[in-house]
PDB file of all heavy atoms in Angstrom:
ATOM      1  N   LEU O  12      -3.769   9.954  -3.006  1.00 96.00           N
ATOM      2  CA  LEU O  12      -2.788   9.270  -2.240  1.00 96.00           C
ATOM      3  C   LEU O  12      -3.334   8.827  -0.895  1.00 96.00           C
ATOM      4  O   LEU O  12      -2.962   7.766  -0.396  1.00 96.00           O
ATOM      5  CB  LEU O  12      -1.556  10.148  -2.045  1.00 96.00           C
ATOM      6  CG  LEU O  12      -0.741  10.433  -3.288  1.00 96.00           C
ATOM      7  CD1 LEU O  12       0.308  11.534  -3.052  1.00 96.00           C
ATOM      8  CD2 LEU O  12       0.068   9.122  -3.667  1.00 96.00           C
ATOM      9  N   THR O  13      -4.176   9.641  -0.300  1.00 97.00           N
ATOM     10  CA  THR O  13      -4.806   9.290   0.988  1.00 97.00           C
ATOM     11  C   THR O  13      -5.737   8.093   0.777  1.00 97.00           C
ATOM     12  O   THR O  13      -5.747   7.117   1.594  1.00 97.00           O
ATOM     13  CB  THR O  13      -5.534  10.455   1.566  1.00 97.00           C
ATOM     14  OG1 THR O  13      -4.621  11.562   1.801  1.00 97.00           O
ATOM     15  CG2 THR O  13      -6.214  10.105   2.922  1.00 97.00           C
ATOM     16  N   LEU O  14      -6.502   8.084  -0.271  1.00 96.00           N
ATOM     17  CA  LEU O  14      -7.385   6.918  -0.597  1.00 96.00           C
ATOM     18  C   LEU O  14      -6.562   5.707  -0.767  1.00 96.00           C
ATOM     19  O   LEU O  14      -6.913   4.668  -0.217  1.00 96.00           O
ATOM     20  CB  LEU O  14      -8.167   7.277  -1.921  1.00 96.00           C
ATOM     21  CG  LEU O  14      -9.008   6.096  -2.435  1.00 96.00           C
ATOM     22  CD1 LEU O  14     -10.235   5.922  -1.615  1.00 96.00           C
ATOM     23  CD2 LEU O  14      -9.356   6.360  -3.914  1.00 96.00           C
ATOM     24  N   PHE O  15      -5.433   5.750  -1.486  1.00 95.00           N
ATOM     25  CA  PHE O  15      -4.600   4.560  -1.629  1.00 95.00           C
ATOM     26  C   PHE O  15      -4.034   4.066  -0.275  1.00 95.00           C
ATOM     27  O   PHE O  15      -3.986   2.914  -0.011  1.00 95.00           O
ATOM     28  CB  PHE O  15      -3.462   4.863  -2.597  1.00 95.00           C
ATOM     29  CG  PHE O  15      -3.878   5.347  -3.962  1.00 95.00           C
ATOM     30  CD1 PHE O  15      -3.060   6.116  -4.708  1.00 95.00           C
ATOM     31  CD2 PHE O  15      -5.093   4.991  -4.512  1.00 95.00           C
ATOM     32  CE1 PHE O  15      -3.390   6.557  -6.014  1.00 95.00           C
ATOM     33  CE2 PHE O  15      -5.492   5.410  -5.794  1.00 95.00           C
ATOM     34  CZ  PHE O  15      -4.616   6.199  -6.514  1.00 95.00           C
ATOM     35  N   ALA O  16      -3.600   5.006   0.513  1.00 96.00           N
ATOM     36  CA  ALA O  16      -2.999   4.679   1.865  1.00 96.00           C
ATOM     37  C   ALA O  16      -4.042   4.024   2.718  1.00 96.00           C
ATOM     38  O   ALA O  16      -3.798   3.024   3.427  1.00 96.00           O
ATOM     39  CB  ALA O  16      -2.438   5.980   2.482  1.00 96.00           C
ATOM     40  N   VAL O  17      -5.247   4.560   2.726  1.00 97.00           N
ATOM     41  CA  VAL O  17      -6.338   3.972   3.516  1.00 97.00           C
ATOM     42  C   VAL O  17      -6.695   2.556   3.040  1.00 97.00           C
ATOM     43  O   VAL O  17      -6.819   1.636   3.807  1.00 97.00           O
ATOM     44  CB  VAL O  17      -7.587   4.867   3.479  1.00 97.00           C
ATOM     45  CG1 VAL O  17      -8.791   4.226   4.107  1.00 97.00           C
ATOM     46  CG2 VAL O  17      -7.296   6.150   4.299  1.00 97.00           C
ATOM     47  N   ALA O  18      -6.749   2.356   1.696  1.00 96.00           N
ATOM     48  CA  ALA O  18      -7.067   1.040   1.136  1.00 96.00           C
ATOM     49  C   ALA O  18      -5.962   0.074   1.570  1.00 96.00           C
ATOM     50  O   ALA O  18      -6.247  -1.042   1.956  1.00 96.00           O
ATOM     51  CB  ALA O  18      -7.157   1.133  -0.344  1.00 96.00           C
ATOM     52  N   MET O  19      -4.697   0.456   1.545  1.00 96.00           N
ATOM     53  CA  MET O  19      -3.604  -0.353   1.990  1.00 96.00           C
ATOM     54  C   MET O  19      -3.737  -0.720   3.480  1.00 96.00           C
ATOM     55  O   MET O  19      -3.582  -1.853   3.870  1.00 96.00           O
ATOM     56  CB  MET O  19      -2.241   0.185   1.628  1.00 96.00           C
ATOM     57  CG  MET O  19      -1.940   0.214   0.192  1.00 96.00           C
ATOM     58  SD  MET O  19      -0.226   0.774  -0.186  1.00 96.00           S
ATOM     59  CE  MET O  19      -0.452   2.541  -0.301  1.00 96.00           C
ATOM     60  N   ALA O  20      -3.953   0.313   4.268  1.00 97.00           N
ATOM     61  CA  ALA O  20      -4.013   0.131   5.709  1.00 97.00           C
ATOM     62  C   ALA O  20      -5.105  -0.761   6.086  1.00 97.00           C
ATOM     63  O   ALA O  20      -5.009  -1.632   6.938  1.00 97.00           O
ATOM     64  CB  ALA O  20      -4.148   1.517   6.380  1.00 97.00           C
ATOM     65  N   VAL O  21      -6.281  -0.644   5.447  1.00 97.00           N
ATOM     66  CA  VAL O  21      -7.464  -1.453   5.757  1.00 97.00           C
ATOM     67  C   VAL O  21      -7.096  -2.940   5.495  1.00 97.00           C
ATOM     68  O   VAL O  21      -7.409  -3.834   6.336  1.00 97.00           O
ATOM     69  CB  VAL O  21      -8.673  -1.016   4.955  1.00 97.00           C
ATOM     70  CG1 VAL O  21      -9.744  -2.131   4.954  1.00 97.00           C
ATOM     71  CG2 VAL O  21      -9.243   0.245   5.441  1.00 97.00           C
ATOM     72  N   ASN O  22      -6.445  -3.202   4.385  1.00 96.00           N
ATOM     73  CA  ASN O  22      -6.052  -4.586   4.057  1.00 96.00           C
ATOM     74  C   ASN O  22      -5.006  -5.118   4.971  1.00 96.00           C
ATOM     75  O   ASN O  22      -5.014  -6.268   5.303  1.00 96.00           O
ATOM     76  CB  ASN O  22      -5.692  -4.679   2.573  1.00 96.00           C
ATOM     77  CG  ASN O  22      -6.934  -4.888   1.742  1.00 96.00           C
ATOM     78  OD1 ASN O  22      -7.403  -6.037   1.605  1.00 96.00           O
ATOM     79  ND2 ASN O  22      -7.475  -3.839   1.154  1.00 96.00           N
ATOM     80  N   ILE O  23      -4.024  -4.292   5.337  1.00 96.00           N
ATOM     81  CA  ILE O  23      -2.984  -4.726   6.311  1.00 96.00           C
ATOM     82  C   ILE O  23      -3.678  -5.115   7.575  1.00 96.00           C
ATOM     83  O   ILE O  23      -3.365  -6.164   8.175  1.00 96.00           O
ATOM     84  CB  ILE O  23      -1.903  -3.675   6.524  1.00 96.00           C
ATOM     85  CG1 ILE O  23      -1.084  -3.488   5.201  1.00 96.00           C
ATOM     86  CG2 ILE O  23      -1.013  -4.014   7.647  1.00 96.00           C
ATOM     87  CD1 ILE O  23      -0.200  -2.274   5.220  1.00 96.00           C
ATOM     88  N   LEU O  24      -4.522  -4.254   8.070  1.00 97.00           N
ATOM     89  CA  LEU O  24      -5.245  -4.528   9.371  1.00 97.00           C
ATOM     90  C   LEU O  24      -6.149  -5.795   9.270  1.00 97.00           C
ATOM     91  O   LEU O  24      -6.372  -6.452  10.284  1.00 97.00           O
ATOM     92  CB  LEU O  24      -6.087  -3.333   9.754  1.00 97.00           C
ATOM     93  CG  LEU O  24      -5.221  -2.124  10.200  1.00 97.00           C
ATOM     94  CD1 LEU O  24      -6.151  -0.869  10.381  1.00 97.00           C
ATOM     95  CD2 LEU O  24      -4.444  -2.396  11.393  1.00 97.00           C
ATOM     96  N   ARG O  25      -6.593  -6.098   8.086  1.00 96.00           N
ATOM     97  CA  ARG O  25      -7.427  -7.313   7.851  1.00 96.00           C
ATOM     98  C   ARG O  25      -6.521  -8.537   7.720  1.00 96.00           C
ATOM     99  O   ARG O  25      -7.045  -9.655   7.577  1.00 96.00           O
ATOM    100  CB  ARG O  25      -8.267  -7.185   6.565  1.00 96.00           C
ATOM    101  CG  ARG O  25      -9.387  -6.256   6.641  1.00 96.00           C
ATOM    102  CD  ARG O  25     -10.061  -6.245   5.272  1.00 96.00           C
ATOM    103  NE  ARG O  25     -11.272  -5.393   5.288  1.00 96.00           N
ATOM    104  CZ  ARG O  25     -11.944  -5.132   4.160  1.00 96.00           C
ATOM    105  NH1 ARG O  25     -11.532  -5.538   2.998  1.00 96.00           N
ATOM    106  NH2 ARG O  25     -12.977  -4.349   4.250  1.00 96.00           N
ATOM    107  N   GLY O  26      -5.157  -8.369   7.752  1.00 95.00           N
ATOM    108  CA  GLY O  26      -4.305  -9.456   7.578  1.00 95.00           C
ATOM    109  C   GLY O  26      -4.073  -9.866   6.176  1.00 95.00           C
ATOM    110  O   GLY O  26      -3.600 -10.952   5.887  1.00 95.00           O
ATOM    111  N   ARG O  27      -4.311  -8.983   5.233  1.00 93.00           N
ATOM    112  CA  ARG O  27      -4.179  -9.294   3.816  1.00 93.00           C
ATOM    113  C   ARG O  27      -3.005  -8.533   3.215  1.00 93.00           C
ATOM    114  O   ARG O  27      -3.147  -7.927   2.168  1.00 93.00           O
ATOM    115  CB  ARG O  27      -5.497  -8.839   3.131  1.00 93.00           C
ATOM    116  CG  ARG O  27      -6.702  -9.692   3.542  1.00 93.00           C
ATOM    117  CD  ARG O  27      -7.995  -9.268   2.875  1.00 93.00           C
ATOM    118  NE  ARG O  27      -7.843  -8.950   1.465  1.00 93.00           N
ATOM    119  CZ  ARG O  27      -7.667  -9.836   0.444  1.00 93.00           C
ATOM    120  NH1 ARG O  27      -7.608 -11.116   0.696  1.00 93.00           N
ATOM    121  NH2 ARG O  27      -7.597  -9.388  -0.761  1.00 93.00           N
ATOM    122  N   SER O  28      -1.853  -8.564   3.889  1.00 90.00           N
ATOM    123  CA  SER O  28      -0.714  -7.861   3.397  1.00 90.00           C
ATOM    124  C   SER O  28       0.008  -8.598   2.229  1.00 90.00           C
ATOM    125  O   SER O  28       0.897  -8.003   1.657  1.00 90.00           O
ATOM    126  CB  SER O  28       0.278  -7.667   4.549  1.00 90.00           C
ATOM    127  OG  SER O  28       0.738  -8.911   5.098  1.00 90.00           O
ATOM    128  N   HIS O  29      -0.466  -9.804   1.908  1.00 90.00           N
ATOM    129  CA  HIS O  29       0.146 -10.557   0.848  1.00 90.00           C
ATOM    130  C   HIS O  29      -0.220 -10.084  -0.547  1.00 90.00           C
ATOM    131  O   HIS O  29       0.434 -10.424  -1.552  1.00 90.00           O
ATOM    132  CB  HIS O  29      -0.266 -12.027   0.954  1.00 90.00           C
ATOM    133  CG  HIS O  29      -1.684 -12.243   0.878  1.00 90.00           C
ATOM    134  ND1 HIS O  29      -2.598 -11.998   1.873  1.00 90.00           N
ATOM    135  CD2 HIS O  29      -2.455 -12.658  -0.168  1.00 90.00           C
ATOM    136  CE1 HIS O  29      -3.778 -12.273   1.481  1.00 90.00           C
ATOM    137  NE2 HIS O  29      -3.748 -12.679   0.217  1.00 90.00           N
ATOM    138  N   ILE O  30      -1.264  -9.280  -0.659  1.00 90.00           N
ATOM    139  CA  ILE O  30      -1.676  -8.800  -1.979  1.00 90.00           C
ATOM    140  C   ILE O  30      -0.766  -7.710  -2.521  1.00 90.00           C
ATOM    141  O   ILE O  30      -0.163  -7.019  -1.735  1.00 90.00           O
ATOM    142  CB  ILE O  30      -3.130  -8.369  -2.011  1.00 90.00           C
ATOM    143  CG1 ILE O  30      -3.369  -7.102  -1.191  1.00 90.00           C
ATOM    144  CG2 ILE O  30      -4.096  -9.494  -1.575  1.00 90.00           C
ATOM    145  CD1 ILE O  30      -4.792  -6.512  -1.260  1.00 90.00           C
ATOM    146  N   ASP O  31      -0.700  -7.624  -3.871  1.00 86.00           N
ATOM    147  CA  ASP O  31       0.162  -6.615  -4.467  1.00 86.00           C
ATOM    148  C   ASP O  31      -0.469  -5.227  -4.351  1.00 86.00           C
ATOM    149  O   ASP O  31      -1.639  -5.072  -4.487  1.00 86.00           O
ATOM    150  CB  ASP O  31       0.292  -6.990  -5.982  1.00 86.00           C
ATOM    151  CG  ASP O  31       1.094  -5.957  -6.737  1.00 86.00           C
ATOM    152  OD1 ASP O  31       2.084  -5.475  -6.188  1.00 86.00           O
ATOM    153  OD2 ASP O  31       0.803  -5.729  -7.933  1.00 86.00           O
ATOM    154  N   CYS O  32       0.363  -4.234  -4.051  1.00 84.00           N
ATOM    155  CA  CYS O  32      -0.120  -2.877  -3.819  1.00 84.00           C
ATOM    156  C   CYS O  32      -0.675  -2.294  -5.107  1.00 84.00           C
ATOM    157  O   CYS O  32      -1.572  -1.504  -5.071  1.00 84.00           O
ATOM    158  CB  CYS O  32       0.992  -1.980  -3.252  1.00 84.00           C
ATOM    159  SG  CYS O  32       2.221  -1.465  -4.416  1.00 84.00           S
ATOM    160  N   GLY O  33      -0.125  -2.668  -6.259  1.00 84.00           N
ATOM    161  CA  GLY O  33      -0.580  -2.085  -7.570  1.00 84.00           C
ATOM    162  C   GLY O  33      -0.177  -0.745  -7.789  1.00 84.00           C
ATOM    163  O   GLY O  33      -0.590  -0.053  -8.682  1.00 84.00           O
ATOM    164  N   CYS O  34       0.816  -0.266  -6.988  1.00 79.00           N
ATOM    165  CA  CYS O  34       1.282   1.122  -7.091  1.00 79.00           C
ATOM    166  C   CYS O  34       1.829   1.483  -8.452  1.00 79.00           C
ATOM    167  O   CYS O  34       1.448   2.473  -9.040  1.00 79.00           O
ATOM    168  CB  CYS O  34       2.316   1.445  -5.985  1.00 79.00           C
ATOM    169  SG  CYS O  34       1.791   1.076  -4.360  1.00 79.00           S
ATOM    170  N   PHE O  35       2.684   0.652  -8.930  1.00 69.00           N
ATOM    171  CA  PHE O  35       3.327   0.963 -10.273  1.00 69.00           C
ATOM    172  C   PHE O  35       3.171  -0.239 -11.198  1.00 69.00           C
ATOM    173  O   PHE O  35       3.662  -0.217 -12.289  1.00 69.00           O
ATOM    174  CB  PHE O  35       4.809   1.345 -10.126  1.00 69.00           C
ATOM    175  CG  PHE O  35       4.942   2.681  -9.429  1.00 69.00           C
ATOM    176  CD1 PHE O  35       5.234   2.727  -8.099  1.00 69.00           C
ATOM    177  CD2 PHE O  35       4.739   3.838 -10.172  1.00 69.00           C
ATOM    178  CE1 PHE O  35       5.335   3.981  -7.486  1.00 69.00           C
ATOM    179  CE2 PHE O  35       4.927   5.074  -9.505  1.00 69.00           C
ATOM    180  CZ  PHE O  35       5.264   5.128  -8.157  1.00 69.00           C
ATOM    181  N   ASN O  36       2.488  -1.279 -10.797  1.00 55.00           N
ATOM    182  CA  ASN O  36       2.162  -2.436 -11.587  1.00 55.00           C
ATOM    183  C   ASN O  36       3.329  -2.888 -12.487  1.00 55.00           C
ATOM    184  O   ASN O  36       3.143  -2.977 -13.669  1.00 55.00           O
ATOM    185  CB  ASN O  36       0.845  -2.181 -12.407  1.00 55.00           C
ATOM    186  CG  ASN O  36       0.263  -3.490 -12.893  1.00 55.00           C
ATOM    187  OD1 ASN O  36       0.731  -4.569 -12.552  1.00 55.00           O
ATOM    188  ND2 ASN O  36      -0.800  -3.357 -13.696  1.00 55.00           N
ATOM    189  N   SER O  37       4.405  -3.104 -11.901  1.00 56.00           N
ATOM    190  CA  SER O  37       5.598  -3.504 -12.678  1.00 56.00           C
ATOM    191  C   SER O  37       6.033  -4.872 -12.296  1.00 56.00           C
ATOM    192  O   SER O  37       5.376  -5.548 -11.576  1.00 56.00           O
ATOM    193  CB  SER O  37       6.722  -2.497 -12.412  1.00 56.00           C
ATOM    194  OG  SER O  37       7.151  -2.587 -11.061  1.00 56.00           O
ATOM    195  N   ALA O  38       7.230  -5.239 -12.727  1.00 53.00           N
ATOM    196  CA  ALA O  38       7.828  -6.494 -12.292  1.00 53.00           C
ATOM    197  C   ALA O  38       8.096  -6.507 -10.819  1.00 53.00           C
ATOM    198  O   ALA O  38       8.362  -7.531 -10.235  1.00 53.00           O
ATOM    199  CB  ALA O  38       9.082  -6.757 -13.138  1.00 53.00           C
ATOM    200  N   LEU O  39       8.119  -5.334 -10.228  1.00 53.00           N
ATOM    201  CA  LEU O  39       8.441  -5.217  -8.787  1.00 53.00           C
ATOM    202  C   LEU O  39       7.132  -5.325  -7.950  1.00 53.00           C
ATOM    203  O   LEU O  39       6.604  -4.407  -7.465  1.00 53.00           O
ATOM    204  CB  LEU O  39       9.117  -3.848  -8.461  1.00 53.00           C
ATOM    205  CG  LEU O  39      10.348  -3.534  -9.216  1.00 53.00           C
ATOM    206  CD1 LEU O  39      10.788  -2.098  -8.973  1.00 53.00           C
ATOM    207  CD2 LEU O  39      11.462  -4.492  -8.810  1.00 53.00           C
ATOM    208  N   LYS O  40       6.593  -6.544  -7.897  1.00 70.00           N
ATOM    209  CA  LYS O  40       5.408  -6.811  -7.178  1.00 70.00           C
ATOM    210  C   LYS O  40       5.716  -6.503  -5.705  1.00 70.00           C
ATOM    211  O   LYS O  40       6.626  -7.030  -5.109  1.00 70.00           O
ATOM    212  CB  LYS O  40       4.885  -8.208  -7.319  1.00 70.00           C
ATOM    213  CG  LYS O  40       4.630  -8.610  -8.744  1.00 70.00           C
ATOM    214  CD  LYS O  40       3.451  -7.744  -9.301  1.00 70.00           C
ATOM    215  CE  LYS O  40       3.128  -8.102 -10.677  1.00 70.00           C
ATOM    216  NZ  LYS O  40       2.412  -7.137 -11.403  1.00 70.00           N
ATOM    217  N   GLN O  41       4.887  -5.667  -5.107  1.00 79.00           N
ATOM    218  CA  GLN O  41       5.103  -5.270  -3.717  1.00 79.00           C
ATOM    219  C   GLN O  41       3.905  -5.655  -2.834  1.00 79.00           C
ATOM    220  O   GLN O  41       2.853  -5.156  -3.083  1.00 79.00           O
ATOM    221  CB  GLN O  41       5.335  -3.737  -3.608  1.00 79.00           C
ATOM    222  CG  GLN O  41       6.565  -3.262  -4.337  1.00 79.00           C
ATOM    223  CD  GLN O  41       6.783  -1.790  -4.105  1.00 79.00           C
ATOM    224  OE1 GLN O  41       7.067  -1.385  -2.951  1.00 79.00           O
ATOM    225  NE2 GLN O  41       6.622  -0.978  -5.082  1.00 79.00           N
ATOM    226  N   PRO O  42       4.132  -6.490  -1.882  1.00 85.00           N
ATOM    227  CA  PRO O  42       3.039  -6.774  -0.953  1.00 85.00           C
ATOM    228  C   PRO O  42       2.764  -5.594  -0.111  1.00 85.00           C
ATOM    229  O   PRO O  42       3.612  -4.692   0.074  1.00 85.00           O
ATOM    230  CB  PRO O  42       3.605  -7.941  -0.102  1.00 85.00           C
ATOM    231  CG  PRO O  42       5.046  -7.890  -0.213  1.00 85.00           C
ATOM    232  CD  PRO O  42       5.374  -7.225  -1.597  1.00 85.00           C
ATOM    233  N   LEU O  43       1.545  -5.498   0.396  1.00 90.00           N
ATOM    234  CA  LEU O  43       1.169  -4.303   1.232  1.00 90.00           C
ATOM    235  C   LEU O  43       2.032  -4.346   2.478  1.00 90.00           C
ATOM    236  O   LEU O  43       2.268  -5.371   3.087  1.00 90.00           O
ATOM    237  CB  LEU O  43      -0.282  -4.372   1.566  1.00 90.00           C
ATOM    238  CG  LEU O  43      -1.229  -4.370   0.390  1.00 90.00           C
ATOM    239  CD1 LEU O  43      -2.705  -4.420   0.959  1.00 90.00           C
ATOM    240  CD2 LEU O  43      -1.063  -3.177  -0.450  1.00 90.00           C
ATOM    241  N   ARG O  44       2.451  -3.167   2.922  1.00 89.00           N
ATOM    242  CA  ARG O  44       3.203  -2.998   4.182  1.00 89.00           C
ATOM    243  C   ARG O  44       3.015  -1.521   4.661  1.00 89.00           C
ATOM    244  O   ARG O  44       2.765  -0.635   3.868  1.00 89.00           O
ATOM    245  CB  ARG O  44       4.596  -3.436   4.036  1.00 89.00           C
ATOM    246  CG  ARG O  44       5.403  -2.723   2.967  1.00 89.00           C
ATOM    247  CD  ARG O  44       6.732  -3.385   2.782  1.00 89.00           C
ATOM    248  NE  ARG O  44       7.410  -2.681   1.722  1.00 89.00           N
ATOM    249  CZ  ARG O  44       7.318  -2.997   0.440  1.00 89.00           C
ATOM    250  NH1 ARG O  44       6.539  -3.983   0.079  1.00 89.00           N
ATOM    251  NH2 ARG O  44       7.992  -2.324  -0.503  1.00 89.00           N
ATOM    252  N   TRP O  45       3.312  -1.337   5.913  1.00 92.00           N
ATOM    253  CA  TRP O  45       3.157  -0.009   6.476  1.00 92.00           C
ATOM    254  C   TRP O  45       4.126   0.986   5.806  1.00 92.00           C
ATOM    255  O   TRP O  45       3.765   2.208   5.767  1.00 92.00           O
ATOM    256  CB  TRP O  45       3.349  -0.077   8.055  1.00 92.00           C
ATOM    257  CG  TRP O  45       2.243  -0.756   8.708  1.00 92.00           C
ATOM    258  CD1 TRP O  45       2.277  -1.964   9.355  1.00 92.00           C
ATOM    259  CD2 TRP O  45       0.870  -0.314   8.710  1.00 92.00           C
ATOM    260  NE1 TRP O  45       1.044  -2.289   9.758  1.00 92.00           N
ATOM    261  CE2 TRP O  45       0.136  -1.288   9.441  1.00 92.00           C
ATOM    262  CE3 TRP O  45       0.150   0.811   8.244  1.00 92.00           C
ATOM    263  CZ2 TRP O  45      -1.212  -1.176   9.684  1.00 92.00           C
ATOM    264  CZ3 TRP O  45      -1.169   0.920   8.442  1.00 92.00           C
ATOM    265  CH2 TRP O  45      -1.870  -0.052   9.181  1.00 92.00           C
ATOM    266  N   SER O  46       5.238   0.604   5.348  1.00 87.00           N
ATOM    267  CA  SER O  46       6.185   1.566   4.699  1.00 87.00           C
ATOM    268  C   SER O  46       5.572   2.191   3.461  1.00 87.00           C
ATOM    269  O   SER O  46       5.854   3.393   3.180  1.00 87.00           O
ATOM    270  CB  SER O  46       7.524   0.879   4.413  1.00 87.00           C
ATOM    271  OG  SER O  46       7.339  -0.193   3.513  1.00 87.00           O
ATOM    272  N   LEU O  47       4.717   1.461   2.781  1.00 89.00           N
ATOM    273  CA  LEU O  47       4.001   2.051   1.625  1.00 89.00           C
ATOM    274  C   LEU O  47       2.942   3.077   2.064  1.00 89.00           C
ATOM    275  O   LEU O  47       2.777   4.106   1.441  1.00 89.00           O
ATOM    276  CB  LEU O  47       3.337   0.980   0.763  1.00 89.00           C
ATOM    277  CG  LEU O  47       4.289   0.031   0.056  1.00 89.00           C
ATOM    278  CD1 LEU O  47       3.463  -1.121  -0.576  1.00 89.00           C
ATOM    279  CD2 LEU O  47       5.112   0.716  -0.892  1.00 89.00           C
ATOM    280  N   VAL O  48       2.287   2.816   3.199  1.00 94.00           N
ATOM    281  CA  VAL O  48       1.321   3.742   3.778  1.00 94.00           C
ATOM    282  C   VAL O  48       2.077   4.988   4.190  1.00 94.00           C
ATOM    283  O   VAL O  48       1.624   6.148   3.893  1.00 94.00           O
ATOM    284  CB  VAL O  48       0.591   3.124   4.951  1.00 94.00           C
ATOM    285  CG1 VAL O  48      -0.381   4.139   5.598  1.00 94.00           C
ATOM    286  CG2 VAL O  48      -0.216   1.897   4.439  1.00 94.00           C
ATOM    287  N   ILE O  49       3.213   4.814   4.841  1.00 93.00           N
ATOM    288  CA  ILE O  49       4.008   6.003   5.290  1.00 93.00           C
ATOM    289  C   ILE O  49       4.530   6.753   4.100  1.00 93.00           C
ATOM    290  O   ILE O  49       4.535   8.002   4.097  1.00 93.00           O
ATOM    291  CB  ILE O  49       5.172   5.493   6.227  1.00 93.00           C
ATOM    292  CG1 ILE O  49       4.600   5.008   7.516  1.00 93.00           C
ATOM    293  CG2 ILE O  49       6.133   6.558   6.471  1.00 93.00           C
ATOM    294  CD1 ILE O  49       5.573   4.157   8.356  1.00 93.00           C
ATOM    295  N   ARG O  50       4.953   6.063   3.050  1.00 89.00           N
ATOM    296  CA  ARG O  50       5.459   6.748   1.855  1.00 89.00           C
ATOM    297  C   ARG O  50       4.338   7.673   1.279  1.00 89.00           C
ATOM    298  O   ARG O  50       4.572   8.811   0.984  1.00 89.00           O
ATOM    299  CB  ARG O  50       5.826   5.734   0.719  1.00 89.00           C
ATOM    300  CG  ARG O  50       6.202   6.400  -0.557  1.00 89.00           C
ATOM    301  CD  ARG O  50       6.123   5.480  -1.799  1.00 89.00           C
ATOM    302  NE  ARG O  50       4.683   5.039  -1.949  1.00 89.00           N
ATOM    303  CZ  ARG O  50       4.379   4.015  -2.745  1.00 89.00           C
ATOM    304  NH1 ARG O  50       5.330   3.290  -3.321  1.00 89.00           N
ATOM    305  NH2 ARG O  50       3.148   3.631  -2.875  1.00 89.00           N
ATOM    306  N   ASN O  51       3.126   7.181   1.251  1.00 93.00           N
ATOM    307  CA  ASN O  51       2.011   8.025   0.770  1.00 93.00           C
ATOM    308  C   ASN O  51       1.747   9.215   1.673  1.00 93.00           C
ATOM    309  O   ASN O  51       1.446  10.309   1.213  1.00 93.00           O
ATOM    310  CB  ASN O  51       0.761   7.194   0.585  1.00 93.00           C
ATOM    311  CG  ASN O  51       0.689   6.445  -0.692  1.00 93.00           C
ATOM    312  OD1 ASN O  51       1.774   6.165  -1.317  1.00 93.00           O
ATOM    313  ND2 ASN O  51      -0.445   5.992  -1.144  1.00 93.00           N
ATOM    314  N   ALA O  52       1.868   8.977   2.962  1.00 95.00           N
ATOM    315  CA  ALA O  52       1.726  10.048   3.921  1.00 95.00           C
ATOM    316  C   ALA O  52       2.743  11.165   3.737  1.00 95.00           C
ATOM    317  O   ALA O  52       2.402  12.323   3.803  1.00 95.00           O
ATOM    318  CB  ALA O  52       1.700   9.536   5.367  1.00 95.00           C
ATOM    319  N   VAL O  53       3.978  10.745   3.463  1.00 93.00           N
ATOM    320  CA  VAL O  53       5.058  11.696   3.207  1.00 93.00           C
ATOM    321  C   VAL O  53       4.743  12.483   1.948  1.00 93.00           C
ATOM    322  O   VAL O  53       4.860  13.704   1.862  1.00 93.00           O
ATOM    323  CB  VAL O  53       6.441  11.006   3.124  1.00 93.00           C
ATOM    324  CG1 VAL O  53       7.470  11.964   2.556  1.00 93.00           C
ATOM    325  CG2 VAL O  53       6.838  10.500   4.482  1.00 93.00           C
ATOM    326  N   LEU O  54       4.294  11.809   0.900  1.00 92.00           N
ATOM    327  CA  LEU O  54       3.960  12.499  -0.358  1.00 92.00           C
ATOM    328  C   LEU O  54       2.768  13.450  -0.139  1.00 92.00           C
ATOM    329  O   LEU O  54       2.749  14.546  -0.677  1.00 92.00           O
ATOM    330  CB  LEU O  54       3.599  11.476  -1.434  1.00 92.00           C
ATOM    331  CG  LEU O  54       4.774  10.628  -1.941  1.00 92.00           C
ATOM    332  CD1 LEU O  54       4.320   9.546  -2.929  1.00 92.00           C
ATOM    333  CD2 LEU O  54       5.890  11.502  -2.527  1.00 92.00           C
ATOM    334  N   VAL O  55       1.824  13.053   0.689  1.00 95.00           N
ATOM    335  CA  VAL O  55       0.648  13.999   1.011  1.00 95.00           C
ATOM    336  C   VAL O  55       1.254  15.220   1.724  1.00 95.00           C
ATOM    337  O   VAL O  55       0.820  16.351   1.472  1.00 95.00           O
ATOM    338  CB  VAL O  55      -0.404  13.285   1.819  1.00 95.00           C
ATOM    339  CG1 VAL O  55      -1.349  14.303   2.454  1.00 95.00           C
ATOM    340  CG2 VAL O  55      -1.136  12.232   1.005  1.00 95.00           C
ATOM    341  N   GLY O  56       2.202  15.014   2.605  1.00 92.00           N
ATOM    342  CA  GLY O  56       2.813  16.184   3.345  1.00 92.00           C
ATOM    343  C   GLY O  56       3.476  17.126   2.347  1.00 92.00           C
ATOM    344  O   GLY O  56       3.343  18.322   2.490  1.00 92.00           O
TER     345      GLY O  56
END
C-alpha cells in the first residue's frame, strides 16, 4: 500500500494526475488524486 501511495504521489507531483490509478481496474476509472494517497495511508494505519 505504501508503494502504491508513493507511486501515486510521485505522479501527482509530476503533474500527471490524469492517469488511471489502476486500484481496482474497473469501470470506475479514477484519476490520481491526494485522496487516494490518503486512503492508502489510512489502510496502512
Side-chain angles (χ1 to χ4, degrees):
L12 288 168
T13 301
L14 174 73
F15 302 152
V17 168
M19 287 186 273
V21 165
N22 274 279
I23 292 168
L24 292 171
R25 287 179 176 172
R27 297 179 38 75
S28 61
H29 63 282
I30 66 175
D31 179 34
C32 75
C34 302
F35 292 97
N36 198 5
S37 65
L39 304 172
K40 301 297 182 198
Q41 296 186 67
L43 300 181
R44 57 188 178 274
W45 290 113
S46 60
L47 294 174
V48 175
I49 292 167
R50 175 201 63 197
N51 279 20
V53 169
L54 293 175
V55 167

